[in-house]
Amino acid sequence: MSLSDDENDSMSLNSQLPAHLFGDLLDSIIIDVASECHRAARLGLDRNLELEEEEMRLSAEARAMVVDATNNGEVNGKYIVDIFGQTHPSIANDIFECMNCGQSIMAGRFAPHLEKCMGKGRKARLKARRSSRLAQNRSARGSSVSVHSQYSSTSQLSNNTPVRIMKKMNDFGERFSAEISKPIHLVNPLVP
Amino acid sequence: MSGTLNRPPTTEAEDVHEDPDLTLQRIINAKLVESGEKELLKELLRERLIECGWSDEMKKHCLSFARKNGSNNVTLEDLINAITPKGRASVPDSVKEELLQRIRSFLA
Amino acid sequence: MNMSSVRSPYTVPPPCNHLAGYKLKNGLSGYNSLQESLRIAPSGKLAIFRPDLADSSCSSCNGLRTSLYLCLICNSVSCLDHTLSHTRSCLGHEIVVDIDRAELYCGSCRDQVYDPDFDRAVMCKYIREVLPRGRKGFEGIGIVSDRSSKRRRLVVPVLDSDFSASNQLIRPGYQRAKSCHPLGLRGLNNLGNTCFMNSILQVLLHAPPLRNYFLNDKHNREACRSTSADHFCLLCNIDIIFSAVFSGEMSPFSPAQFLYSWWQHAANLASYEQQDAHEFFISLLDGIHQKEGKCKGLNKDGRDCQCIAHRVFSGLLRSDVTCMSCGFTSTTYDPCMDISLHLDTNNPLSADSPNKANKSNSSSFSNSTATLIGCLDLFTRPEKLGSDQKLHCQNCQERQDSVKQLSIRRLPLVLCLHIKRFEHSIVRKASRKIDWYLQFPFSLDMDPYLSSSIVRKRFGNRIFSFEGDESEISSEFEIFAVITHSGMLESGHYVTFVRLRNLWYKCDDSWVTEVDEKTVRASQCYMVFYVQKMLYCKGNEELSCIPISSQPDAFLPVVGCC
């Protein structure tokens, strides 16, 4: 295991020495790695590489096969029937009553309705801000503001990360919402 | 076993020719060790090799070699020999250059 | 309660004859006297250091060598070649110490050898050196006698139902009887850009411990309603969805009441615009926590909270910050409901992205796929904090460079791994979606990321008992749900794959279809959900089936699309 020097002595020392020292350092780290792995192997601390490799193999196989696959009951990305043999419209057409205003509404259009109905959402918030600037005491959405602040104080449910993400994503929301504020059925067909 | 420092018996003693280059190397090496620079350099190299994925790659290589040859049979020497060629060859140029730069500035 | 033995974290290899002989003759005195020469770098790296070794050369050949060995009998220092000849010529001088690595080496067997007593001597040095200065820094190290830790018991976490011994392995070849599907599969209507909500609800509906909770009526709607005036609470609304989905009814369900209730809870999220599923997940758990906390007067800060959200999803993260100057480590613990993982943007696969600025990463390791395992490795890798983040070291009483390392102190029953595919650059003031494929395993062993493993590794994997070795929760997990995101950042679509009885179902709003496991493996995961293997196996047994024989002809013409 001697990693002895194989350098050419005839080379000038000045150019040789740094490279030589670098080689020493590198060899020393190579031995560190080998020594660490030797210990892990002997103590049985090396993790289950078989399992990991088998999982890798299955995934690679799956990716190779799925590229051209049109199985799974889909044709050209469109479903034929679900597991129960049913088909579904692209916009859910159940009709039920809005629990806020009692109006009959179609399932697939419920969220945008409810947003307006409850006076929530981005537009509502903007409106609220505007109106509160105009008439601070007459804001109709005072309750939503208080819930908001209460919410943000309880984020210690999780570690800090999600909270950070939450803020970040809200920023996106504001940034990108302008681009998707068209009526829902005109949005990219991928959008549910 | 006591604290006394015995020189080992020189059964296979080679005649130690004092190569001037080797002497210089020893002096420089001693300086590197004394100043703690060698440790810093090694730490820096270690860090860079972890960052670029070299370390993980070498570990994977070691462990799969150990697995193939039986974790209880493979010797340290086997492992070193198994990864040395690849380990030496696959250090990114940028890492090598950074280290050489630091070594040169120490020597200057 | 099931007790079964769990794999010991390590096996102690038997000593070679030479090591056994050395110890018989010399006892531990050699190890103990060596302790004085051990030097510990702040990083945790160990070496033997003595003034007389400073010129790092072999006493026989004066050559500079990468590795030097110290004879435990005569204290001579030699390169490997001369160590081997020394061993041959002096009987009984076989055991030497690699001075750079503080590892035992047998010159006769020509191999590194291991002795628990040697490792203990090394660890005692660590503890002596660092403990008096920073008692807190060694929270992870408990001196536990090796004997007690060898036999460990696994206590299966018990939730709501008593588990009988369930060592049943997953049967890979298992096929469902063609006439039935597991109960609980039901499409959820999209109410207008609510796929983010449906995708999360499908996961919660099939998370085994949560399913048990609601199906065993642990949230009593009647009792709840009597206390909270006239409207259903958030948990009641979740309970309603569980009832609806496990009723056997097959037409898609509209979670409208839930949405209404949800928007009442989280007013800031009330908008039918695109939402992030992960954001929704976290705030939904928060909602459950708040609601249950209010009802039962539970611990507010989430630590050891017994609400159903915490009991199922909460784990404990450990964070160690080590001073690079003195090695003092301060440890903190934080509860977490999920783990958000960075995609390694240094990964060469990012070459096609506008992130080419990394100077040192254009290496030859380019043909590897990004993996979830790799993300977890990155998550638990020591991270040098930048010079702008210098932390005040309690021991140095100064601001010092430090290294931070995360590990998992306690695993949750259900592990949610979230992949940070949405990247926001403050510099470029732009967001983008990282849409690389990320490989994820179906079976996941979290052992390497546990605090006990991480801390053991930091100290060179010495044969020594660390606190946390006696973990009562198994580290083996099985996947049960994957949420994928397709499309763009601002207008994409979420779909959930759920795994029931080892078959996969794709829940795409109102559409539930059966899919090949390959489809799942090849999908672009955004959130991956694992459950403790025992609970997964147990859950599979409990799932009852519903017959589908009375269903209309399965080959209808193409109608639906979305």
Side-chain angles (χ1 to χ4, degrees), chain C residues 297-362:
Chain C
L298 296 170
N299 195 344
K300 260 249 156 180
D301 71 352
R303 195 169 297 212
D304 301 321
C305 171
Q306 287 302 305
C307 81
I308 187 63
H310 277 102
R311 271 196 287 163
V312 174
F313 291 99
S314 153
L316 197 62
L317 275 187
R318 167 174 167 158
S319 161
D320 292 336
V321 177
T322 303
C323 169
M324 286 310 280
S325 165
C326 72
F328 175 85
T329 300
S330 85
T331 299
T332 52
Y333 295 95
D334 289 298
C336 64
M337 303 303 277
D338 71 331
I339 294 178
S340 284
L341 297 168
H342 276 291
L343 277 168
D344 188 355
T345 38
N346 288 338
N347 186 299
L349 287 178
S350 63
D352 54 348
S353 70
N355 194 20
K356 286 178 182 157
N358 293 302
K359 49 179 176 143
S360 59
N361 297 305
S362 53

Side-chain angles (χ1 to χ4, degrees), chain A residues 1 28 32 35 38-39 43 45 55 72 74 79 82-83 86 111 115 121 148 151 154 170 172 191-192, chain C residues 9 11 69 80 101 103 111 114 119 190-191 193 250 268 270 272 290 431 442-443 461 506 508 512 519 521:
Chain A
M1 82 180 196
S28 179
D32 286 351
S35 165
H38 188 267
R39 181 177 265 271
L43 268 54
L45 288 169
E55 293 275 5
N72 300 325
E74 288 171 52
Y79 298 106
D82 72 5
I83 48 166
Q86 308 170 123
E115 183 186 44
H148 189 294
Y151 169 75
T154 54
N170 285 345
F172 290 179
V191 171
Chain C
T11 50
Y69 299 86
L80 184 69
R101 291 162 197 91
E103 291 280 11
D111 202 6
Y114 303 97
D119 284 357
N190 190 308
L191 306 177
N193 273 356
M250 285 164 259
N268 58 323
Y272 83 98
Q290 279 190 45
S431 305
F442 282 14
S443 299
N461 280 329
K506 180 180 183 183
D508 180 355
V512 178
T519 308
R521 286 194 188 272

Side-chain angles (χ1 to χ4, degrees), chain A residues 3 6 21 30 60 81 97 117 120 126-128 139 142 150 159 172 175:
Chain A
L3 300 169
D6 49 9
L21 287 169
I30 289 174
V81 287
E97 278 181 10
C117 182
K120 312 257 170 168
L126 288 177
K127 211 167 133 197
S139 169
Q150 177 199 347
N159 59 355
F172 290 179
R175 261 188 71 76

Side-chain angles (χ1 to χ4, degrees), chain C residues 185-447:
Chain C
L185 286 168
R186 189 172 178 186
L188 295 175
N189 277 326
N190 190 308
L191 306 177
N193 273 356
T194 56
C195 62
F196 72 92
M197 175 178 89
N198 287 349
S199 65
I200 292 293
L201 288 175
Q202 290 288 6
V203 172
L204 300 185
L205 287 166
H206 296 100
L210 211 58
R211 191 177 59 200
N212 285 349
Y213 178 86
F214 282 101
L215 295 186
N216 289 332
D217 257 342
K218 297 292 173 176
H219 183 80
N220 191 322
R221 234 182 291 161
E222 298 313 310
C224 185
R225 194 162 188 184
S226 60
T227 56
S228 58
D230 57 349
H231 69 279
F232 287 124
C233 78
L234 189 62
L235 272 97
C236 290
N237 277 294
I238 297 172
D239 192 43
I240 289 169
I241 301 176
F242 267 96
S243 306
V245 157
F246 283 86
S247 66
E249 177 60 51
M250 285 164 259
S251 61
F253 176 74
S254 294
Q257 177 71 44
F258 171 82
L259 183 71
Y260 178 59
S261 159
W262 169 246
W263 278 359
Q264 287 175 324
H265 163 74
N268 58 323
L269 298 177
S271 135
Y272 83 98
E273 293 150 9
Q274 284 285 312
Q275 295 275 345
D276 178 52
H278 174 251
E279 181 184 351
F280 171 73
F281 172 72
I282 290 297
S283 61
L284 180 55
L285 292 187
D286 186 46
I288 295 172
H289 164 69
Q290 279 190 45
K291 168 66 193 157
E292 264 210 341
K294 242 178 248 158
C295 285
K296 299 179 183 166
L298 296 170
N299 195 344
K300 260 249 156 180
D301 71 352
R303 195 169 297 212
D304 301 321
C305 171
Q306 287 302 305
C307 81
I308 187 63
H310 277 102
R311 271 196 287 163
V312 174
F313 291 99
S314 153
L316 197 62
L317 275 187
R318 167 174 167 158
S319 161
D320 292 336
V321 177
T322 303
C323 169
M324 286 310 280
S325 165
C326 72
F328 175 85
T329 300
S330 85
T331 299
T332 52
Y333 295 95
D334 289 298
C336 64
M337 303 303 277
D338 71 331
I339 294 178
S340 284
L341 297 168
H342 276 291
L343 277 168
D344 188 355
T345 38
N346 288 338
N347 186 299
L349 287 178
S350 63
D352 54 348
S353 70
N355 194 20
K356 286 178 182 157
N358 293 302
K359 49 179 176 143
S360 59
N361 297 305
S362 53
S363 62
S364 57
F365 317 106
S366 50
N367 44 10
S368 57
T369 314
T371 65
L372 191 68
I373 297 281
C375 291
L376 284 164
D377 287 340
L378 190 69
F379 181 76
T380 52
R381 177 178 287 176
E383 180 200 357
K384 204 168 176 176
L385 297 177
S387 47
D388 53 327
Q389 294 174 273
K390 279 194 180 184
L391 288 178
H392 179 83
C393 172
Q394 283 171 267
N395 185 48
C396 303
Q397 291 297 328
E398 243 181 279
R399 284 161 75 83
Q400 299 283 13
D401 281 326
S402 43
V403 167
K404 181 181 173 182
Q405 188 171 30
L406 294 172
S407 56
I408 299 167
R409 181 64 183 84
R410 192 185 68 231
L411 285 162
L413 299 181
V414 174
L415 177 66
C416 167
L417 299 177
H418 161 241
I419 317 301
K420 293 183 182 172
R421 288 194 179 273
F422 302 112
E423 196 180 63
H424 188 70
S425 163
I426 297 158
V427 183
R428 289 195 298 275
K429 289 210 166 186
S431 305
R432 65 173 182 130
K433 184 185 165 191
I434 306 168
D435 57 2
W436 315 328
Y437 171 73
L438 180 81
Q439 186 271 342
F440 54 93
F442 282 14
S443 299
L444 174 66
D445 189 354
M446 290 296 288
D447 185 73

Side-chain angles (χ1 to χ4, degrees), chain B residues 1 7 26 39 56 76, chain C residues 39 55 59 73 111 381:
Chain B
M1 201 176 93
R7 287 290 169 192
R26 286 192 52 187
E39 204 177 313
D56 283 342
L76 178 59
Chain C
R39 221 181 73 181
D55 73 344
S59 53
I73 300 291
D111 202 6
R381 177 178 287 176

Side-chain angles (χ1 to χ4, degrees), chain C residues 2 4 6-7 152-158 310-312 314-316 408-415 445-447 450 452 468-477 531-535:
Chain C
N2 177 34
S4 63
V6 76
R7 183 176 72 92
R152 264 161 250 285
R153 309 230 265 187
L154 171 73
V155 182
V156 175
V158 175
H310 277 102
R311 271 196 287 163
V312 174
S314 153
L316 197 62
I408 299 167
R409 181 64 183 84
R410 192 185 68 231
L411 285 162
L413 299 181
V414 174
L415 177 66
D445 189 354
M446 290 296 288
D447 185 73
L450 294 177
S452 52
D469 276 354
E470 293 77 22
S471 170
E472 291 179 353
I473 291 179
S474 156
S475 61
E476 285 179 272
F477 282 77
V531 62
Q532 296 215 353
K533 192 169 178 171
M534 289 291 199
L535 293 177

Side-chain angles (χ1 to χ4, degrees), chain A residues 54-63 65-66 71-72, chain C residues 170-175 437 440-443 478-479 482 497-506 513-523 536:
Chain A
E54 176 66 4
E55 293 275 5
M56 281 295 281
R57 193 185 61 75
L58 289 169
S59 295
E61 217 176 83
R63 288 187 78 198
M65 283 187 67
V66 166
N71 52 346
N72 300 325
Chain C
I170 292 156
R171 290 163 289 171
Y174 176 77
Q175 288 293 314
Y437 171 73
F440 54 93
F442 282 14
S443 299
E478 278 291 320
I479 199 166
V482 180
F497 293 106
V498 296
R499 188 193 199 193
L500 298 169
R501 306 179 142 207
N502 294 321
L503 291 173
W504 284 96
Y505 298 90
K506 180 180 183 183
T513 51
E514 190 178 331
V515 295
D516 204 276
E517 103 169 29
K518 287 190 170 62
T519 308
V520 181
R521 286 194 188 272
S523 68
Y536 178 77

Side-chain angles (χ1 to χ4, degrees), chain C residues 467-497:
Chain C
E467 178 198 311
D469 276 354
E470 293 77 22
S471 170
E472 291 179 353
I473 291 179
S474 156
S475 61
E476 285 179 272
F477 282 77
E478 278 291 320
I479 199 166
F480 75 92
V482 180
I483 293 180
T484 66
H485 181 266
S486 56
M488 317 302 277
L489 182 70
E490 63 272 29
S491 62
H493 184 48
Y494 291 105
V495 165
T496 303
F497 293 106

